[in-house]
mmCIF file of all heavy atoms in Angstrom:
data_model
loop_
_atom_site.group_PDB
_atom_site.id
_atom_site.type_symbol
_atom_site.label_atom_id
_atom_site.label_comp_id
_atom_site.label_asym_id
_atom_site.label_seq_id
_atom_site.Cartn_x
_atom_site.Cartn_y
_atom_site.Cartn_z
ATOM 1 N N PRO A 81 119.202 82.841 152.180
ATOM 2 C CA PRO A 81 118.786 82.932 150.704
ATOM 3 C C PRO A 81 118.685 81.554 149.965
ATOM 4 O O PRO A 81 119.636 80.752 150.251
ATOM 5 C CB PRO A 81 119.765 83.870 150.093
ATOM 6 C CG PRO A 81 120.755 84.356 151.076
ATOM 7 C CD PRO A 81 120.352 83.487 152.340
ATOM 8 N N ARG A 82 117.841 81.441 149.048
ATOM 9 C CA ARG A 82 117.852 80.338 148.155
ATOM 10 C C ARG A 82 118.052 80.769 146.805
ATOM 11 O O ARG A 82 117.096 80.895 145.958
ATOM 12 C CB ARG A 82 116.495 79.538 148.295
ATOM 13 C CG ARG A 82 116.365 78.864 149.762
ATOM 14 C CD ARG A 82 114.988 78.002 149.680
ATOM 15 N NE ARG A 82 113.920 78.802 149.354
ATOM 16 C CZ ARG A 82 112.804 78.455 148.724
ATOM 17 N NH1 ARG A 82 112.752 77.269 148.110
ATOM 18 N NH2 ARG A 82 111.753 79.236 148.402
ATOM 19 N N MET A 83 119.378 81.109 146.459
ATOM 20 C CA MET A 83 119.517 81.629 145.205
ATOM 21 C C MET A 83 119.077 81.037 143.935
ATOM 22 O O MET A 83 118.563 81.591 143.048
ATOM 23 C CB MET A 83 121.005 82.016 144.949
ATOM 24 C CG MET A 83 121.615 83.005 145.905
ATOM 25 S SD MET A 83 120.628 84.512 146.161
ATOM 26 C CE MET A 83 120.787 85.267 144.495
ATOM 27 N N ALA A 84 119.196 79.616 144.039
ATOM 28 C CA ALA A 84 118.728 78.801 142.702
ATOM 29 C C ALA A 84 117.135 79.187 142.536
ATOM 30 O O ALA A 84 116.761 79.364 141.403
ATOM 31 C CB ALA A 84 118.998 77.446 142.981
ATOM 32 N N ARG A 85 116.403 79.189 143.584
ATOM 33 C CA ARG A 85 115.050 79.530 143.452
ATOM 34 C C ARG A 85 114.808 80.894 142.908
ATOM 35 O O ARG A 85 113.951 81.126 142.101
ATOM 36 C CB ARG A 85 114.372 79.265 144.818
ATOM 37 C CG ARG A 85 112.904 79.541 144.776
ATOM 38 C CD ARG A 85 111.956 78.743 143.835
ATOM 39 N NE ARG A 85 110.541 79.082 143.969
ATOM 40 C CZ ARG A 85 109.814 79.249 142.883
ATOM 41 N NH1 ARG A 85 110.226 78.909 141.719
ATOM 42 N NH2 ARG A 85 108.577 79.735 143.137
ATOM 43 N N TYR A 86 115.515 81.842 143.431
ATOM 44 C CA TYR A 86 115.279 83.186 142.953
ATOM 45 C C TYR A 86 115.760 83.408 141.534
ATOM 46 O O TYR A 86 114.935 84.133 140.799
ATOM 47 C CB TYR A 86 116.086 84.150 143.778
ATOM 48 C CG TYR A 86 115.889 84.115 145.331
ATOM 49 C CD1 TYR A 86 116.936 84.165 146.278
ATOM 50 C CD2 TYR A 86 114.643 83.670 145.792
ATOM 51 C CE1 TYR A 86 116.816 84.159 147.573
ATOM 52 C CE2 TYR A 86 114.537 83.408 147.187
ATOM 53 C CZ TYR A 86 115.457 83.660 148.043
ATOM 54 O OH TYR A 86 115.450 83.503 149.418
ATOM 55 N N ALA A 87 116.735 82.681 141.111
ATOM 56 C CA ALA A 87 117.150 82.770 139.647
ATOM 57 C C ALA A 87 116.146 82.133 138.783
ATOM 58 O O ALA A 87 115.694 82.607 137.665
ATOM 59 C CB ALA A 87 118.459 81.973 139.452
ATOM 60 N N GLN A 88 115.367 81.065 139.367
ATOM 61 C CA GLN A 88 114.316 80.527 138.531
ATOM 62 C C GLN A 88 113.135 81.476 138.366
ATOM 63 O O GLN A 88 112.649 81.582 137.288
ATOM 64 C CB GLN A 88 113.818 79.267 139.361
ATOM 65 C CG GLN A 88 113.005 78.163 138.658
ATOM 66 C CD GLN A 88 112.599 77.111 139.584
ATOM 67 O OE1 GLN A 88 112.406 77.254 140.808
ATOM 68 N NE2 GLN A 88 112.775 75.757 139.077
ATOM 69 N N VAL A 89 112.793 82.064 139.431
ATOM 70 C CA VAL A 89 111.674 83.148 139.272
ATOM 71 C C VAL A 89 112.098 84.241 138.433
ATOM 72 O O VAL A 89 111.309 84.772 137.545
ATOM 73 C CB VAL A 89 111.293 83.595 140.640
ATOM 74 C CG1 VAL A 89 110.129 84.681 140.579
ATOM 75 C CG2 VAL A 89 110.853 82.535 141.654
ATOM 76 N N SER A 90 113.350 84.633 138.591
ATOM 77 C CA SER A 90 113.953 85.639 137.700
ATOM 78 C C SER A 90 113.795 85.404 136.219
ATOM 79 O O SER A 90 113.405 86.193 135.401
ATOM 80 C CB SER A 90 115.353 86.055 138.053
ATOM 81 O OG SER A 90 115.944 86.824 137.200
ATOM 82 N N ALA A 91 114.115 83.987 135.806
ATOM 83 C CA ALA A 91 113.949 83.709 134.486
ATOM 84 C C ALA A 91 112.508 83.776 133.982
ATOM 85 O O ALA A 91 112.308 84.232 132.731
ATOM 86 C CB ALA A 91 114.479 82.371 134.277
ATOM 87 N N GLN A 92 111.637 83.571 134.869
ATOM 88 C CA GLN A 92 110.136 83.646 134.490
ATOM 89 C C GLN A 92 109.817 85.138 134.267
ATOM 90 O O GLN A 92 109.235 85.378 133.188
ATOM 91 C CB GLN A 92 109.317 82.947 135.617
ATOM 92 C CG GLN A 92 109.388 81.590 135.678
ATOM 93 C CD GLN A 92 108.571 81.016 136.980
ATOM 94 O OE1 GLN A 92 108.310 81.782 137.872
ATOM 95 N NE2 GLN A 92 108.352 79.756 136.887
#
Side-chain angles (χ1 to χ4, degrees):
R82 292 184 299 146
M83 291 314 297
R85 173 65 182 139
Y86 310 145
Q88 195 176 42
V89 178
S90 178
Q92 292 172 340

